[in-house]
Amino acid sequence: MIESTPAKKALDELDLLILDLLQKESQLSNADLARRVKLSPPATHARVKRLENEGFINRHVAILDQGMFGFTLICFIFLSTNLHQVEQLEEFEQEIKSMPEVLEFQCLTGEYDYMLKVANRNKDELQKFIRKLNYFTFVGRIQTIVSIREIKHTTILPIV
């Protein structure tokens, strides 16, 4: 259950159930969803549209199997920069966001400034990617950690 957040005030139990079902099975038809939450299809559709309009649902996606497309080298890359100007940081972040290999990009506290989750097909692609990062003269340290096995991967938030 959502603890004292803006979402708790805006969502009722039915909304949470709808969101939970959609995040687990996004291909549910409106009729199936309505049946599962015990609402009429028009009422269910209206709720889903409201949840989309209010920003609780960002987008509907298909999550692909990385290995089926040859992306067997998943790495976590930690970066330290010597940037302090907001404009330069924003420009750098935009540049990294535009790189298709980057699956996730996080700004951190602690020893490193950023963490990237990167998908490559092989070590040559990884080497090319790291060389792209080295073009940024203000990147001080790069630490690459290769994942040898994924144990858990989910996009499901524990909302119910």
Side-chain angles (χ1 to χ4, degrees), residues 27-125:
Q27 289 186 315
L28 276 175
S29 69
N30 186 60
D32 288 338
L33 184 60
R35 222 177 346 273
R36 296 208 36 216
V37 299
K38 297 178 176 73
L39 266 184
S40 70
T44 302
H45 180 74
R47 280 185 180 249
V48 170
K49 285 298 171 198
R50 179 181 56 81
L51 293 166
E52 288 172 349
N53 292 336
E54 291 177 1
F56 291 102
I57 298 172
N58 287 333
R59 58 193 159 138
H60 300 267
V61 299
I63 299 173
L64 306 180
D65 184 306
Q66 297 165 350
M68 295 292 285
F69 294 93
F71 291 100
T72 57
L73 190 60
I74 304 300
C75 302
F76 296 90
I77 299 175
F78 295 86
L79 301 175
S80 292
T81 69
N82 56 17
L83 285 179
H84 303 292
Q85 305 269 337
V86 173
E87 299 82 21
Q88 290 176 315
L89 285 169
E90 288 174 354
E91 193 175 305
F92 168 69
E93 289 173 0
Q94 285 300 103
E95 188 75 27
I96 297 294
K97 282 171 54 176
S98 72
M99 296 177 175
E101 307 92 335
V102 178
L103 303 177
E104 293 182 37
F105 184 30
Q106 306 285 335
C107 184
L108 308 174
T109 63
E111 186 176 346
Y112 291 95
D113 299 317
Y114 297 100
M115 189 274 305
L116 291 69
K117 180 178 178 183
V118 178
N120 294 115
R121 289 186 174 92
N122 55 49
K123 63 184 178 184
D124 292 331
E125 281 188 8

Side-chain angles (χ1 to χ4, degrees), residues 140-156:
R141 283 184 43 196
I142 299 175
Q143 181 178 2
T144 303
I145 298 171
V146 176
S147 172
I148 58 172
R149 181 169 57 103
E150 183 176 83
I151 297 168
K152 180 179 180 180
H153 175 244
T154 187
T155 60
I156 299 170

Side-chain angles (χ1 to χ4, degrees), residues 16-28:
L16 291 172
L17 181 57
I18 289 169
L19 290 169
D20 191 53
L21 287 168
L22 286 176
Q23 74 175 339
K24 291 175 181 172
E25 301 176 60
S26 69
Q27 289 186 315
L28 276 175

